[in-house]
């Protein structure tokens, strides 16, 4: 047991928590913004799958990670707008649209991958399981000065560009939501669409913008998966991060800081799962850890919130009796 | 026809000429309606529910477009395709259901859609607050710019709505039943403010069916009935009785006759009910009372003071943090609604469209929905359609539901008839206790009178009635005894309603006064 703790108390372990959290953070921000706009996008998983595939393919063909990265973002945004078109314009239930995108994200990406790679480049690039092994990677960044600090340097420096962006976006998204008129419009549309439209805010437009934002974030997440986390694309490689993000959004109380912390908790759980299997724990036991943590996390969140309500309750009662005694 | 438009060739700020509105489903909401506004007047638009007054005003505010007819504002013929167009031409509307975002501050609500910015990107909060202050002072409408809308009282929310219209340059204000949610004090305050606006040259449309208010504040009035205008009158030249006749086409008895109650045993017993809502606000604070056989206990109070939460607890739409509630000795808290109904509890819910009916189902299906498993209506596993038809026809007759047939969809009926379908079901299943939550809200005078009479009749036959109503006249007139709720507490209990006045009620409703615990405790008859 002590040995095992020693393994955990290494900079590599903390480094991996941050690394694993990044795509969850992107997806969590996507979930937060659409929730503020008054709806749920459960298709994050599928959007990330498509972005991951297009990033991987384009970087390969263009010979540049940058074009692949842009393609991943564009794919996320375009597909989210298509979702928006179905949900807001054609009035399809948005949950059904999300399910459709997720199913396409699983089977459709594999199909596309096989069609595209087999038709043009031959079978060299894609194996029979649809695995792309050659995508170019988004560069890692060494932070000067910080990487000289013992322990902390090894934890914080040398991450992928997108990892840093993920944490930066938490701040930027929070500013967008609370300090700009776009954010004000998003929040008002989510809370009382009639009020928003009665003062000339276009509810449809705002919903499309929120949707596109979730697509953009999924694009970042997808690009991270195929061009940073793994050096290639494989079927179902997002493996539930889009859903975990929905839980992180709820656990974080729908706010950016809370969402980020929740995402890191899930990142920790996944890193732990990986470590467990690395030290020889049966993978069938190790792989459920992240999901168990999800459930435990939600329970803890609910208990904490209930306690807070109870506390306020008794505080209010106290103030009332205090007031009476004064009078 | 007597006409308030005495001046020839007068120019109006608004002229709506022979407006007709036919909805795609063939319902003609307005037929050839003429409506005009003089600059600087307060003009009442009156009529029963479904008379077409809301439709007419929605067209003036650009929410809907007329099928034919024209709208002229300040001499210019307009196509009002959206509220933005109406706002651009100086028309503002204060909706009955406030168009506010609860979690935003007053100032943020004020500037929503026209946010002042700094550095071209960020919200300029200081500027928004300043704008709010400036308008608040200019028009003498006191609001707190930095408070969140969910924390301010209803009266202030309404002021925010008025200011919102003014800050967007409205010169013509449409007010849709503005006093429906206000206490008498707040109403008096509103009237002072409206008169002030009128003196400043603003034109106000006042939609209402409260006769006293119309007589007090308006200069002219337009009466609508069945989608047609019944004429324009100078307010001081008509009497309440005349208006009432024009509105409903007959003299409405505005008071209900009732014998003295002879209360029996306690049916509903509520003790120390407490509830804190999800935002940590205490909505019910040690609420205790009894409702006895054969009496109507009224609950008065400004909306949002715990009445809704109380009814939710009694019908298990929600569970309190602590306390007890029993019907004839059996606890009902947390009990499935089917079981609560089996104890003889009936509910006339506040939101009839959501909880009272299934709009897409027939009248028949709606009235038997609580007794579908009744042996009399079934032959083994199948419905006994003959018995069901008989039962529903009987109820439609007894409750005078105006409809084509029992198989008509409830959603197609008028508000008053929908409510009659609800009470037909809720009053006819041998209830021991009726929870009547805003039973006549927003329905026409005829249906209102019918439902009130039924409530009195049922209570005199030995049923316990708990009547929750924001309509002060209604609670004061129907109740045998009365409690007033304020801030989740019982502020007052009156065992006799005969000597009560609006002023006394208002003081308790607004929390200016509070009876002692001992006085309030008298409502517990043990």
């Amino acid at each position: 047991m002590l040995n095992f703790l020693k393994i955990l108390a290494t900079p590599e372990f903390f480094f991996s928590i941050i690394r694993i959290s990044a795509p969850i953070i992107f997806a969590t921000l996507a979930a937060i913004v659409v929730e503020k706009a008054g709806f749920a996008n459960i298709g994050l998983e599928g959007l990330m799958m498509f972005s991951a595939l297009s990033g991987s393919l384009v970087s390969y063909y263009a010979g540049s990670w940058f074009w692949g990265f842009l393609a991943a973002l564009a794919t996320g945004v375009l597909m989210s707008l298509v979702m928006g078109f179905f949900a807001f314009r054609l009035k399809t239930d948005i949950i059904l649209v999300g399910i459709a995108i997720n199913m396409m994200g699983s089977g459709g990406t594999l199909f596309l991958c096989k069609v595209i790679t087999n038709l043009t480049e031959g079978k060299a690039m894609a194996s029979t399981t649809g695995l792309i092994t050659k995508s170019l990677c988004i560069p890692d960044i060494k932070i000067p000065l910080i990487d000289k600090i013992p322990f902390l340097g090894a934890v914080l420096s040398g991450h992928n560009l997108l990892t840093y962006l993920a944490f930066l976006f938490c701040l930027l998204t929070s500013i967008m939501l609370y300090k700009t008129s776009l954010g004000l419009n998003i929040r008002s549309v989510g809370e009382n669409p009639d009020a928003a439209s009665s003062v000339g805010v276009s509810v449809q437009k705002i919903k499309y913008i929120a949707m596109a934002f979730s697509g953009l974030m999924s694009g970042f997440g997808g690009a991270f998966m195929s061009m940073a986390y793994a050096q290639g694309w494989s079927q179902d490689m997002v493996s539930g991060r889009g859903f975990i993000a929905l839980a992180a959004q709820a656990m974080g109380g729908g706010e950016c800081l809370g969402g980020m912390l929740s995402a890191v908790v899930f990142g920790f759980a996944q890193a732990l799962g990986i470590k467990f299997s690395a030290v020889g724990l049966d993978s069938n036991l190790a792989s459920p850890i992240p999901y168990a943590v999800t459930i435990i996390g939600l329970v803890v969140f609910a208990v904490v919130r209930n306690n807070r309500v109870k506390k306020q309750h008794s505080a209010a009662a106290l103030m009332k009796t205090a007031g009476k005694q004064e009078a | 026809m007597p006409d308030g438009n005495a001046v020839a060739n007068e120019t109006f700020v608004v002229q709506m000429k022979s407006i007709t509105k036919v909805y795609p489903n063939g319902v003609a909401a307005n037929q050839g309606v003429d409506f005009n506004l003089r600059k600087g007047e307060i003009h009442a638009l009156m009529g029963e529910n479904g008379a077409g007054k809301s439709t007419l005003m929605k067209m003036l505010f650009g929410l809907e477009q007329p099928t034919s007819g024209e709208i002229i504002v300040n001499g210019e013929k307009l196509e009002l395709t959206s509220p933005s167009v109406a706002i651009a031409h100086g028309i503002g509307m204060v909706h009955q259901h406030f168009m506010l975002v609860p979690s935003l501050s007053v100032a943020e609500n004020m500037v929503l859609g026209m946010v002042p910015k700094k550095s071209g990107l960020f919200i300029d909060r200081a500027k928004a607050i300043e704008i709010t202050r400036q308008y608040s002072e200019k028009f003498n409408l006191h609001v707190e710019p930095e408070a969140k809308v969910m924390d301010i009282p209803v009266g202030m929310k309404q002021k925010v709505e008025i200011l919102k219209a003014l800050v967007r340059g409205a010169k013509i204000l449409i007010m849709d039943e503005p006093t429906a949610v206000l206490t008498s004090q707040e109403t008096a305050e509103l009237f002072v403010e409206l008169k002030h606006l009128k003196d400043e040259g603003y034109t106000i449309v006042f939609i209402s069916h409260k006769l006293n208010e119309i007589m007090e504040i308006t200069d002219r009035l337009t009466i609508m009935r069945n989608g047609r205008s019944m004429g324009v009158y100078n307010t001081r030249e008509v009497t309440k009785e005349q208006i009432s006749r024009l509105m409903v086409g007959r003299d409405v008895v505005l008071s209900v006759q009732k014998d003295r109650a002879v209360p029996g045993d306690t049916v509903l017993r509520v003790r120390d009910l407490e509830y804190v809502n999800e935002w940590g606000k205490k909505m019910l604070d040690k609420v205790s009372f009894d409702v006895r056989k054969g009496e109507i206990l009224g609950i008065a109070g400004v909306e949002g003071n715990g009445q809704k939460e109380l009814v939710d607890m009694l019908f298990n739409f929600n569970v309190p943090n602590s306390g007890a509630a029993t019907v004839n000795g059996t606890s009902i808290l947390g009990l499935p609604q089917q079981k609560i109904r089996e104890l003889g509890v009936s509910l006339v819910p506040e939101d009839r469209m959501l909880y009272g009916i299934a709009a897409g189902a027939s009248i028949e299906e709606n009235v038997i929905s609580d007794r579908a498993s009744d042996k009399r209506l079934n032959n083994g596993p199948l419905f006994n359609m003959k018995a069901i038809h008989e039962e529903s026809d009987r109820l439609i007759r007894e409750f005078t539901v105006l409809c084509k047939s029992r198989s008509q969809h409830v959603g197609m009926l008028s508000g008053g008839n929908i409510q009659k379908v609800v009470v037909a079901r809720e009053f006819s299943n041998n209830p021991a206790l009726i929870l009547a939550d805003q039973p006549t809200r927003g329905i026409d005078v005829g249906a209102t009178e019918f439902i009130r009479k039924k409530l009195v009749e049922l209570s005199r036959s030995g049923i316990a009635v708990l009547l929750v109503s924001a309509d002060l006249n209604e609670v004061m007139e129907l109740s045998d005894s009365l409690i007033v709720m304020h801030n989740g507490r019982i502020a007052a209990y009156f065992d006799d309603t005969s000597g009560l006045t609006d002023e006394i009620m208002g003081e308790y409703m607004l929390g200016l006064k509070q009876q002692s615990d001992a006085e309030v405790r008298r409502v517990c008859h043990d």
Side-chain angles (χ1 to χ4, degrees), chain A residues 175 177-185 187-189 191-192 194-201 305 309-310 312-313 316-317 320 324, chain B residues 83-84 87 95 98-104 108 112-113 115 117 121-123 125 164 168 274 276-280 282 285 321 489:
Chain A
I175 290 174
L177 281 174
Y178 289 99
K179 301 278 181 197
T180 70
S181 59
L182 175 64
L184 189 69
N185 287 346
R187 286 183 293 139
S188 57
V189 163
E191 216 175 309
N192 189 348
D194 291 339
S197 70
S198 77
V199 292
V201 175
R305 194 182 56 175
V309 168
K310 264 182 208 155
Q312 280 168 351
H313 178 154
K320 203 150 253 175
K324 257 185 208 159
Chain B
S84 317
I87 291 167
H95 298 268
F98 298 139
M99 295 290 184
L100 298 171
V101 184
S103 76
L104 301 188
E108 283 171 327
L112 192 60
V115 180
K117 289 178 193 163
L121 186 63
F122 301 108
I123 303 170
R125 283 231 157 72
K164 253 175 75 188
R168 285 169 177 75
E274 294 219 326
V276 177
N277 73 8
E278 51 189 306
W279 297 288
K282 201 170 205 180
D285 187 359
N321 298 51
R489 305 180 69 190

Side-chain angles (χ1 to χ4, degrees), chain B residues 37-184:
Chain B
L37 292 172
R38 282 187 190 139
K39 188 171 163 44
E41 71 169 346
I42 301 183
H43 191 121
L45 183 58
M46 309 189 63
E48 288 193 75
N49 272 83
K53 51 191 198 305
S54 300
T55 309
L56 188 69
M57 286 302 106
K58 277 182 185 163
M59 287 187 280
L60 181 56
F61 190 57
L63 285 167
E64 275 171 21
Q65 285 69 45
T67 315
S68 68
E70 55 186 39
I71 301 174
I72 298 162
V73 179
N74 293 318
E76 188 187 345
K77 186 168 179 286
L78 294 180
E79 298 285 333
L80 294 162
T81 48
S82 78
S84 317
V85 180
I87 291 167
H89 286 89
I91 300 168
M93 185 157 182
V94 175
H95 298 268
Q96 195 176 358
H97 304 284
F98 298 139
M99 295 290 184
L100 298 171
V101 184
S103 76
L104 301 188
S105 72
V106 168
E108 283 171 327
N109 269 285
M110 281 282 290
V111 299
L112 192 60
M114 41 177 275
V115 180
K117 289 178 193 163
K118 54 185 178 192
S119 341
L121 186 63
F122 301 108
I123 303 170
D124 191 342
R125 283 231 157 72
K127 187 84 195 288
I129 290 167
E130 195 203 312
I131 293 174
T132 310
R133 282 241 163 77
Q134 196 187 325
Y135 272 80
S136 168
E137 275 160 28
K138 183 176 170 196
F139 293 101
N140 206 9
L141 291 156
H142 173 73
V143 295
E144 289 163 29
E146 285 166 78
K148 281 192 176 166
V149 163
M150 62 181 165
D151 297 329
I152 64 176
V154 183
M156 196 183 286
K157 283 183 190 156
Q158 190 170 58
K159 287 174 193 167
V160 177
E161 282 282 40
I162 297 173
L163 286 171
K164 253 175 75 188
L166 294 173
V167 83
R168 285 169 177 75
K171 294 284 172 199
I172 300 156
L173 269 181
I174 305 166
M175 307 212 46
D176 191 2
E177 304 201 22
T179 62
V181 290
L182 301 182
T183 60
S184 47

Side-chain angles (χ1 to χ4, degrees), chain B residues 166-360:
Chain B
L166 294 173
V167 83
R168 285 169 177 75
K171 294 284 172 199
I172 300 156
L173 269 181
I174 305 166
M175 307 212 46
D176 191 2
E177 304 201 22
T179 62
V181 290
L182 301 182
T183 60
S184 47
Q185 272 87 344
E186 282 173 327
T187 302
E189 213 174 294
L190 174 71
F191 283 2
V192 173
E193 289 151 7
L194 291 184
K195 279 174 189 155
H196 179 66
L197 282 171
K198 177 187 151 182
D199 295 339
E200 299 265 312
Y202 288 83
T203 309
I204 295 160
V205 183
F206 192 91
I207 303 177
S208 177
H209 34 222
K210 292 186 184 167
L211 293 175
N212 292 331
E213 294 175 355
I214 303 264
M215 302 309 282
E216 184 185 338
I217 193 167
T218 66
D219 302 304
R220 292 196 305 156
L221 49 92
T222 297
I223 297 173
M224 293 193 67
R225 185 159 106 201
N226 284 332
R228 292 197 163 80
S229 168
M230 301 301 290
V232 187
Y233 302 86
N234 287 320
T235 307
R236 58 191 148 75
E237 287 165 12
V238 286
T239 63
K240 286 186 204 173
E241 287 72 24
Q242 279 174 314
I243 296 174
S244 160
R245 263 199 300 278
L246 284 162
M247 267 171 67
V248 293
R250 67 190 165 95
D251 288 314
V252 175
V253 182
L254 289 171
S255 69
V256 176
Q257 301 294 319
K258 68 174 200 274
D259 311 325
R260 219 180 158 71
V262 189
D265 300 337
T266 296
V267 177
L268 174 67
R269 171 162 298 179
V270 175
R271 288 295 177 272
D272 297 325
L273 224 49
E274 294 219 326
Y275 174 63
V276 177
N277 73 8
E278 51 189 306
W279 297 288
K281 187 167 183 228
K282 201 170 205 180
M283 298 308 293
L284 291 176
D285 187 359
K286 295 231 177 289
V287 170
S288 303
F289 61 87
D290 284 342
V291 187
R292 293 168 296 180
K293 261 186 182 170
E295 78 168 344
I296 301 180
L297 177 69
I299 297 186
V302 183
E303 268 180 89
N305 277 288
Q307 302 95 313
K308 181 189 177 296
E309 286 75 12
L310 176 64
V311 175
D312 282 355
M313 303 301 159
L314 296 181
F315 220 72
N316 195 26
F317 287 111
N318 206 335
V319 186
N321 298 51
S322 65
T326 58
V327 168
N328 289 327
T330 313
S331 173
I332 53 168
L333 294 178
L335 214 57
Q337 281 151 0
Q338 179 75 32
K339 292 266 188 299
I340 295 179
R341 281 187 178 278
E342 279 167 17
L343 290 171
V345 183
S346 275
L347 174 72
V348 180
E350 177 188 6
D351 187 340
R352 74 181 76 98
M353 299 309 284
L354 193 57
Y355 297 111
I357 54 150

Side-chain angles (χ1 to χ4, degrees), chain A residues 19 24 45 59 67 70 83 93 101 131 141-142 156 175 211 215 221 250-251 261 268 274 299 323 327:
Chain A
R19 191 173 88 103
I24 305 176
E45 178 86 6
S59 70
W67 290 111
L70 283 189
M83 286 180 78
D93 189 307
I101 286 283
L131 190 74
I141 292 177
K142 271 209 161 27
L156 294 180
I175 290 174
M211 199 63 175
M251 215 164 106
L261 293 176
F268 166 76
I274 292 167
V299 169

Side-chain angles (χ1 to χ4, degrees), chain B residues 481-523:
Chain B
S481 51
L482 188 74
I483 54 187
V484 180
M485 284 189 74
H486 179 255
N487 247 342
R489 305 180 69 190
I490 297 180
Y493 168 64
F494 302 102
D495 53 6
D496 185 7
T497 54
S498 54
L500 277 177
T501 64
D502 296 7
E503 282 68 33
I504 299 178
M505 293 289 289
E507 282 174 344
Y508 287 106
M509 283 163 70
L510 278 180
L512 301 174
K513 276 186 172 179
Q514 161 84 41
Q515 286 183 353
S516 70
D517 286 352
E519 280 176 290
V520 169
R521 202 73 191 177
R522 288 176 304 141
V523 71

